[in-house]
Amino acid sequence: MDGGTDSKSLKHFIAGQWVDAAAGAMFEVFNPLDDSHYAFAAKGTTEDIFNAVAAAKAAFTSYKETTPTERERWLLRVAEIMEARQKDLVNCLIDEIGSPVQKAMFEFTKGLTMIRAAAGLCRNVRGETIPSDRPGTFSMSIREPLGVVAVITPFNVPLIKTTRLVANALAVGNTVVHLPSEMAPHLSLIFAEIVEEAGIPDGVYNVVTGMGAEIGDDLTGHKDIDFLTFTGSTLVGQHINEICAKNKTPNTLELGGKSPTIILADADLDNVMLLAARSVFMFAGQACIASSRFYVERPLYDEFVKRFSMIIRKLGMGDLRDPNTVIAPIISPRQRERIKSHIDDARAKGANVIGGEWEGNRCQPTLLTEVSEDMTVCQTETFGPVTAIYPIENYEEGLEKANDTEYGLSSAIFTKDIDKAFHFVRNSKAGMCHINGPTIHDEAHVPFGGNGESGVGREGTDADMEAMTELKWVTVQL
Ligand code: NAD
């Protein structure tokens, strides 16, 4: 192992080699807590992307012939090494993207689960036998890997996204070119060191770091990309979708959200409050499935606002290595400006703002009431520790308002009324629906994903197995 990340002068990982950017340039990565220097990373160009795709394409020829046992063993070895390198991964999540240690540990544990679930997937790449109308014919479908999978990941949950998407792609026999967020390159490079140490063959997993806006199209539009999975903002997702449509590149897009939670009058607020807080403020709301809209039935509304206002004052904003700290710094100056502008806009248009002050790069947990439709925050993803609370007269109004959005990622309802709960499940536009649980919920094997502006397709072991392989029909004339 060359240890391409040791000196915090980060290199690409291409064809099993730690290499500088072809053009020799670097870019700086900052610790979002105080904008101090974190690392320099190789600034990829078209040439680096092309080299990585060529390496992945070359590696596919032999990797696709590997047995389930081999791939399972490699992935389980990745999990073992991840456990041994827990400290490095958790420290990176804290210092590179500002994760409080409780979020970093959550992500680490989830990441391990993703790898182990993917190891189990290796043996489940299955086709089926099909009855045939032709006498004496044995007819079946088999699943084959697609080839080179491009994986583009965001800054906010880099370990969960890397482990899930890379491991699922590798489990079913594909090779990968990974473009991680320019705000979280180190995390993926530590993962590359782990893959290397696990003995996964050269070229099967490749990482190119750099500015997505500059080199993303080189990857998305590359003729040798057989599948693309993108997680990030809706704006970039739309752009990628257009290129993929033109090139007929199959893809999944996991994009932004404006996830609603409905709380009906029969809900038990003692149970709801902590879950509600968790569903917004984990990692300071920098979660695609964060609940940024609460619709509370009138009889509970005042009490809900009162209790929520008290809870947010207690959410820890201290040292990121203190397990009681919940509130993270906001990742970048651009994102801080976005959050400020959403709060200012709401305030100027008459919203009541509870919280909303800043301490350094951290924004206090913020509740907005008296929110009207002309406010930006009403319809647009803020991606910060900000949520709006709306009173509703009944369930029907809650459903209508919950669905009144272009997004459709996660949704939740708190009630004891099973009929209304299941009516919500059937009629929510969101791709994921939780009864008496928070909108923030993910597991390795579930169909995770959204509709509308929140994306296309689902991810998770089964969904990725289907998306990242193709069915081939085979007959045998006996
Ligand atoms: P982003 O869209 O700015 O960046 C995501 C990735 O896309 C990065 O790797 C970036 O380098 C790359 N990129 C940028 N321009 C590109 C281009 N033209 N072509 C290809 N790649 C390009 O998103 P972000 O700020 O890193 O993450 C936050 C967003 O991600 C939020 O909108 C959030 O809701 C969403 N998100 C969604 C999910 C989900 O599963 N639905 C999960 C996490 C985050």
Side-chain angles (χ1 to χ4, degrees), residues 306-326:
K306 191 173 124 201
R307 289 206 204 180
F308 217 169
S309 314
M310 286 182 335
I311 285 181
I312 62 171
R313 277 189 224 119
K314 293 188 194 139
L315 296 177
M317 213 156 156
D319 189 323
L320 293 179
R321 287 179 165 76
D322 177 343
N324 294 314
T325 296
V326 175

Side-chain angles (χ1 to χ4, degrees), residues 59-239:
F60 179 67
T61 312
S62 51
Y63 187 69
K64 74 176 175 20
E65 303 300 338
T66 56
T67 64
T69 302
E70 285 174 294
R71 297 196 298 275
E72 179 187 67
R73 201 175 54 225
W74 279 320
L75 288 171
L76 290 175
R77 182 79 188 113
V78 166
E80 266 174 35
I81 302 168
M82 264 183 78
E83 280 193 299
R85 295 200 60 184
Q86 172 179 332
K87 222 167 130 192
D88 295 339
L89 289 162
V90 168
N91 278 331
C92 178
L93 287 165
I94 295 173
D95 295 325
E96 186 175 41
I97 58 164
S99 305
V101 68
Q102 61 166 255
K103 181 267 188 182
M105 277 308 297
F106 165 81
E107 204 176 336
F108 172 76
T109 310
K110 194 65 90 181
L112 268 180
T113 313
M114 297 291 178
I115 297 288
R116 292 189 173 124
L121 180 60
C122 301
R123 293 175 187 280
N124 277 296
V125 185
R126 293 177 183 182
E128 56 187 5
T129 55
I130 307 167
S132 174
D133 284 334
R134 184 186 287 174
T137 296
F138 196 79
S139 169
M140 68 194 118
S141 63
I142 58 170
R143 281 197 175 274
E144 301 211 284
L146 296 175
V148 180
V149 171
V151 176
I152 305 179
T153 49
F155 78 86
N156 64 324
V157 277
L159 187 55
I160 290 177
K161 286 288 170 179
T162 297
T163 47
R164 164 182 267 167
L165 296 165
V166 173
N168 288 348
L170 301 191
V172 301
N174 295 301
T175 58
V176 168
V177 176
H178 184 186
L179 174 63
S181 166
E182 55 268 34
M183 288 173 283
H186 189 201
L187 195 280
S188 302
L189 292 166
I190 297 177
F191 186 74
E193 288 180 344
I194 293 170
V195 165
E196 184 184 31
E197 192 180 338
I200 293 180
D202 292 351
V204 170
Y205 177 54
N206 306 274
V207 186
V208 175
T209 58
M211 302 295 151
E214 291 170 14
I215 55 173
D217 288 4
D218 293 324
L219 181 59
T220 307
H222 198 294
K223 65 176 178 35
D224 290 332
I225 293 299
D226 300 291
F227 184 84
L228 181 142
T229 173
F230 169 79
T231 305
S233 59
T234 297
L235 197 66
V236 176
Q238 276 164 346
H239 172 72

Side-chain angles (χ1 to χ4, degrees), residues 439-457:
T439 53
I440 294 194
H441 192 165
D442 187 10
E443 297 182 30
H445 53 292
V446 299
F448 185 98
N451 305 321
E453 299 292 297
S454 292
V456 178

